[in-house]
Amino acid sequence: SFDENLEFCCDALVEGLLLEDKALSQNLSLVDIQEGPESCPFFRILEMLRSAPGDEGPNRRLKISLLEVQWLDMQMILARELVQRTENDPAVAEKHQARWFELLLQMDELARKAVASSGSGGNGSTMWEAGDVDSVTKRDSRILSRLWLVQAQYGSNPPISRPPQEVARLAQEA
């Protein structure tokens, strides 16, 4: 059954995202505007993965974090579309724009916390230097790279406004 294969589902979604987000079926991102983001199949799958019992090791946490970042990105796309659809009503458009900024901050915080909890602390070389090769190889460096890129992608823009040196460092880590 589907419940018995949730970890395979998680792995398949992560691999699809690491290839390219377009590798995932568009049906996963369908949203009923009237019902909101929670009507999205991707969200329902993510909720099942979050609540499923299983290995709570760093590898699984990184995978779930990547899927959560993707979910926030999908909501940002919806919020941007709603801004465009309501541009004739500035008050409503401003509400959707504020939601976009809120989602951006959540995405950045999630990526920062996931990288920090992975043990790399924003500097992937520290575990190698400490000789803890097993810790590095058990984690998926591709996911860490993507999470660093998330921080660098919007980092210099408001409301985050990271210094250019910090954005460059994050991009280099990726």
Side-chain angles (χ1 to χ4, degrees):
S1 79
F2 181 72
D3 292 338
E4 294 169 354
N5 294 306
L6 276 175
E7 287 308 310
F8 294 119
C9 177
C10 181
D11 289 345
L13 288 171
V14 166
E15 288 301 321
L17 288 172
L18 290 172
L19 287 171
E20 183 178 2
D21 61 355
K22 292 169 187 61
L24 298 177
S25 169
Q26 286 186 345
N27 291 335
L28 285 175
S29 62
L30 296 177
V31 174
D32 181 335
I33 297 289
Q34 302 302 320
E35 292 182 35
E38 289 76 20
S39 67
C40 178
F42 187 90
F43 171 73
R44 291 193 300 268
I45 292 170
L46 178 58
E47 284 295 295
M48 283 191 278
L49 291 169
R50 284 177 180 153
S51 63
D55 173 34
E56 288 300 319
N59 221 10
R60 185 171 195 274
R61 284 193 304 268
L62 279 176
K63 290 175 185 177
I64 297 294
S65 294
L66 180 66
L67 296 175
E68 290 174 332
V69 162
Q70 177 65 22
W71 171 237
L72 290 168
D73 190 49
M74 292 166 76
Q75 291 180 77
M76 288 171 64
I77 291 169
L78 176 62
R80 186 175 52 227
E81 186 172 318
L82 291 172
V83 167
Q84 292 170 349
R85 286 184 182 192
T86 59
E87 59 188 20
N88 292 333
D89 186 345
V92 173
E94 188 174 306
K95 177 182 163 191
H96 294 302
Q97 183 66 42
R99 176 70 178 143
W100 188 91
F101 281 123
E102 178 185 310
L103 291 164
L104 173 64
L105 291 171
Q106 287 176 15
M107 184 188 309
D108 184 71
E109 180 179 3
L110 175 64
R112 277 187 298 108
K113 285 181 177 179
V115 167
S117 71
S118 74
S120 70
N123 182 355
S125 62
T126 58
M127 288 184 287
W128 288 105
E129 291 167 358
D132 192 2
V133 175
D134 287 339
S135 295
V136 175
T137 57
K138 288 178 184 173
R139 291 178 183 85
D140 194 330
S141 61
R142 299 171 305 156
I143 295 174
L144 284 171
S145 178
R146 191 63 67 91
L147 293 171
W148 278 315
L149 283 174
V150 164
Q151 296 172 72
Q153 182 178 6
Y154 297 107
S156 62
N157 300 322
I160 299 171
S161 302
R162 281 194 180 92
Q165 314 87 287
E166 178 67 8
V167 173
R169 185 192 65 77
L170 289 166
Q172 184 176 10
E173 290 288 346

